[in-house]
């Protein structure tokens, strides 16, 4: 499918040039919390993508009927309803994942990216564009989460998605030379990693500005 | 239409809230049974974990659970799951406590002497992955196997979770997790408080004999339907325990 220039920008912009995490610095809180391991980061990324895209569409459909004075409340109700739905569905069909993410699913409601996209985009754009915008922003958020989680799980635990990458025999405990980096397990390390990504991103995109 | 009038705003808010409420109530109703089944299955899997059953390749954990768990006793509102493994009874106690970020829980399986730990399983709501969350992993849980919850005098003293190099007076201990002091202390406290809540059960010597009730509050009450002059079973030493299933 050929995408028009505008569609392309809406969908792909948030992945790089206008990334919600590294450029707009939104959603940092959950980026710290769920990136110790790759699996919760993946599920969180998917859940946020689905919820941003769907709430964007719903708000966009309702945009001409929403009274201005209570628009934030209406947005919040829509987001909260979707988050509750996702949480209920996960509990029914993917109980392990739901338990692992526990409170973070509920905390999607407070993710600034959602309210940001609803306010800045969905309130003034058509449903299809809003859908693409939500998809793009969700994926833009997801890939940062996955990148951070990849580094943290690999160096913090020597595994990826629970599979051992760094051989047991390398460890000091087994007579080797290697030890996991305990710092990677701390939330502060996620902040440092996000900082590094922002740094790399800015220096790569310098000429475009 | 004026979308900014007071009437419109109020009606709009009401309608939105009602639609959302009905939708969520409906979903909750439809998915409820499935979620409860998941919760029940999760509890069964955890109990099987405490009984050292490997369920990673088990197609039907619920059937395994049904085949192992013979009975559930209520002790002052706390459940005891009575299991039978290779002919020996095991008592599984439910644990509940607090970790660093949220609640922790677990199941502790005791041998028939109500002293030796057969197996332990822990769960948590939101401990740090890679640190406190390691309490659910085998290396930590396996440390508990074979430890005794009583001291030499037979008092319930629980098992301490301590930093390697420190020793507890008068009780057995396992190593705490490095980097997760508060979660480890939480496990230690959970074991102590929960075991003391089970004291009524743990301090009753197990019953033996055919014609006796299972030991919930007191020992060896004659079972209903027993002949009055039936031989009253006596309290046996714990080693002679025999669970009466008839």
């Amino acid at each position: 499918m050929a995408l028009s220039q505008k569609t392309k920008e809406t969908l792909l912009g948030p992945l790089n040039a206008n990334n919600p995490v590294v450029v707009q610095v939104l959603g940092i809180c959950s980026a710290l919390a769920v990136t110790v391991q790759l699996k919760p980061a993946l599920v969180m990324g998917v859940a946020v993508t689905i919820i941003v895209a769907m709430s964007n569409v719903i708000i966009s459909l309702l945009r001409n009927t929403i009274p201005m004075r209570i628009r934030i409340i209406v947005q919040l109700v829509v987001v909260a309803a979707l988050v509750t739905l996702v949480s209920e569905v996960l509990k029914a069909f993917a109980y392990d994942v739901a338990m692992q993410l526990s409170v973070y699913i509920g905390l999607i409601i407070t993710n600034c990216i959602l309210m940001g996209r609803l306010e800045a985009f969905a309130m003034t754009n058509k449903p299809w564009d809003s859908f693409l915008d939500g998809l793009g922003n969700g994926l833009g958020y997801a890939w940062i989460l996955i990148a951070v989680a990849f580094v943290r799980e690999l160096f913090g635990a020597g595994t990826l998605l629970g599979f051992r990458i760094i051989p047991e025999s390398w460890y000091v405990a087994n007579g080797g030379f290697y030890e996991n980096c305990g710092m990677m397990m701390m939330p502060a390390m996620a902040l440092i990693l996000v900082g590094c990504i922002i740094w790399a991103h800015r220096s790569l995109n310098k000429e475009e500005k | 239409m004026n979308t900014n009038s007071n009437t419109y705003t109020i009606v709009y808010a009401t309608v939105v809230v009602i639609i959302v409420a009905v939708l969520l109530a409906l979903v909750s109703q439809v998915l409820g049974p499935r979620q409860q089944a998941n919760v029940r299955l999760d509890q069964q899997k955890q109990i099987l974990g405490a009984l050292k059953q490997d369920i990673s390749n088990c197609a039907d954990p619920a059937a395994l659970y049904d085949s192992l768990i013979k009975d559930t006793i209520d002790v002052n509102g706390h459940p005891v799951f009575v299991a039978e493994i290779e002919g020996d009874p095991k008592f599984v106690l439910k644990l509940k406590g607090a970790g660093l970020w949220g609640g922790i829980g677990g199941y502790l399986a005791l041998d028939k002497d109500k002293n030796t730990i057969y197996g332990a399983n822990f769960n948590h709501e939101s401990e740090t992955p890679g640190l406190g969350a390691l309490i659910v992993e085998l290396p930590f849980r396996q440390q508990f196997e074979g430890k005794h919850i009583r001291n030499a005098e037979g008092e319930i003293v629980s098992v301490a979770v301590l930093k390697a190099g420190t020793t507890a007076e008068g009780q057995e201990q396992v190593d705490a997790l490095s980097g997760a002091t508060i979660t480890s202390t939480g496990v230690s406290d959970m074991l102590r408080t929960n075991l003391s809540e089970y004291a009524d059960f743990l301090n009753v010597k197990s019953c033996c004999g055919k014609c006796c009730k299972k030991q919930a509050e007191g020992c060896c009450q004659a079972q209903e339907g027993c002949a009055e002059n039936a031989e009253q079973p006596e309290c046996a030493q714990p080693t002679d325990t025999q669970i009466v299933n008839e």
Side-chain angles (χ1 to χ4, degrees):
Chain A
M1 189 175 72
L3 297 171
S4 72
Q5 187 58 38
K6 181 170 174 269
T7 319
K8 220 183 239 171
E9 209 168 282
T10 313
L11 180 62
L12 302 179
L15 292 183
N16 184 18
N18 199 18
N19 189 285
V21 184
V22 301
V23 178
Q24 301 171 22
V25 199
L26 296 175
I28 294 292
C29 173
S30 55
L32 306 190
V34 298
T35 53
V36 177
Q37 284 162 328
L38 204 46
K39 192 179 163 198
L42 269 172
V43 177
M44 188 70 173
V46 172
V48 168
T49 305
I50 293 171
I51 290 171
V52 187
M54 285 175 63
S55 57
N56 255 3
V57 170
I58 294 172
I59 290 297
S60 176
L61 284 168
L62 296 175
R63 70 187 187 283
N64 293 326
T65 69
I66 298 175
M68 284 312 274
R69 274 180 293 173
I70 58 162
R71 67 181 193 284
I72 301 278
I73 299 172
V74 173
Q75 290 163 10
L76 208 59
V77 167
V78 169
V79 173
L82 284 171
V83 168
T84 313
L85 273 182
V86 167
S87 154
E88 293 279 305
V89 168
L90 277 180
K91 268 187 209 155
F93 296 99
Y95 189 77
D96 295 347
V97 177
M99 285 297 101
Q100 203 174 9
L101 288 173
S102 60
V103 293
Y104 299 117
I105 286 286
L107 285 179
I108 293 176
I109 300 171
T110 61
N111 193 321
C112 330
I113 295 172
L114 279 144
M115 297 301 284
R117 291 333 290 167
L118 294 178
E119 222 3 49
F121 200 93
M123 284 299 285
T124 49
N125 283 282
K126 294 209 176 83
W128 175 242
D129 291 334
S130 300
F131 175 73
L132 293 176
D133 177 76
L135 212 59
N137 276 283
L139 293 174
Y141 168 80
W143 86 256
I144 300 291
L145 232 63
I146 290 165
V148 174
F150 180 88
V151 175
R152 288 181 77 186
E153 190 177 347
L154 183 59
F155 293 108
T159 57
L160 282 179
L161 284 172
F163 294 107
R164 184 141 290 285
I165 302 294
I166 295 169
E168 293 277 5
S169 57
W170 285 19
Y171 283 92
V172 174
N174 299 331
F177 56 89
Y178 185 80
E179 208 157 349
N180 283 329
C181 173
M183 263 297 276
M184 288 289 176
M185 292 296 179
M186 301 296 175
M189 201 59 205
L191 204 59
I192 294 170
L193 286 172
V194 170
C196 291
I197 294 177
I198 293 177
W199 174 27
H201 186 264
R202 293 254 159 110
S203 51
L204 283 174
N205 288 291
K206 208 180 264 170
E207 57 270 31
E208 285 175 27
K209 278 183 188 152
Chain B
M1 187 160 50
N2 176 13
T3 57
N4 284 323
S5 76
N6 284 346
T7 328
Y8 180 82
T9 305
I10 291 169
V11 170
Y12 193 90
T14 315
V15 169
V16 166
V17 169
I18 289 174
I19 291 173
V20 167
V22 168
L23 181 75
L24 290 183
L26 204 71
V27 169
S28 168
Q29 281 293 313
V30 171
L31 296 179
R34 200 177 251 275
Q35 292 172 350
Q36 280 156 18
N38 278 336
V39 172
R40 208 160 42 237
L41 187 64
D42 188 60
Q43 179 184 330
Q44 294 181 347
K45 281 182 182 167
Q46 286 184 30
I47 292 173
L48 290 175
L51 291 166
K52 296 199 282 190
Q53 300 296 312
D54 183 17
I55 50 163
S56 52
N57 295 318
C58 179
D60 190 1
L64 180 64
Y65 176 88
D66 288 338
S67 72
L68 288 177
I69 304 295
K70 302 296 178 196
D71 194 16
T72 307
I73 312 171
D74 181 81
V75 183
N76 306 331
H78 305 282
V80 178
F81 303 90
V82 183
E84 198 180 300
I85 291 178
E86 287 157 9
D88 273 341
K90 312 283 177 202
F91 304 106
V92 184
L93 314 183
K94 187 175 182 177
L95 312 171
K96 213 169 166 59
L100 171 58
W101 304 114
I104 54 176
Y107 292 91
L108 188 74
L110 297 175
D111 275 336
K112 59 185 174 183
D113 61 2
K114 294 182 179 174
N115 183 11
T116 315
I117 295 175
Y118 178 71
N121 200 0
F122 300 107
N123 60 62
H124 67 94
E125 283 164 17
S126 46
E127 298 308 297
T128 321
L131 296 176
L134 291 178
I135 57 169
V136 305
E137 304 287 339
L138 266 185
F140 180 74
R141 288 159 44 194
Q142 276 173 337
Q143 296 187 85
F144 288 88
E145 291 165 15
K147 301 280 178 191
H148 298 94
I149 59 166
R150 292 171 192 273
N151 62 12
E153 284 77 48
E155 292 155 350
I156 301 168
V157 290
S158 175
V159 175
V161 183
L162 286 176
K163 191 158 78 176
T166 50
T167 46
E169 279 297 310
Q171 64 183 135
E172 296 189 9
Q173 63 183 83
V174 299
D175 287 344
L177 293 163
S178 63
T181 310
I182 297 176
T183 313
S184 301
T185 314
V187 172
S188 201
D189 292 347
M190 172 172 77
L191 284 167
R192 198 181 57 246
T193 51
N194 282 272
L195 284 173
S196 68
E197 279 163 7
Y198 275 110
D200 283 352
F201 167 77
L202 295 171
N203 287 333
V204 169
K205 284 181 178 160
S206 303
C207 295
C208 63
K210 290 280 176 203
C211 207
C212 87
K213 263 188 189 168
K214 270 157 278 178
Q215 59 287 19
E217 304 97 19
C219 175
C220 300
Q221 298 150 312
Q223 207 168 18
E224 274 174 55
C226 286
E228 258 180 44
N229 58 355
E231 196 186 335
Q232 285 295 312
E234 281 180 25
C235 285
Q237 288 304 308
T239 42
D240 299 323
T241 308
Q242 176 187 349
I243 297 296
V244 183
N245 288 318
E246 285 84 11

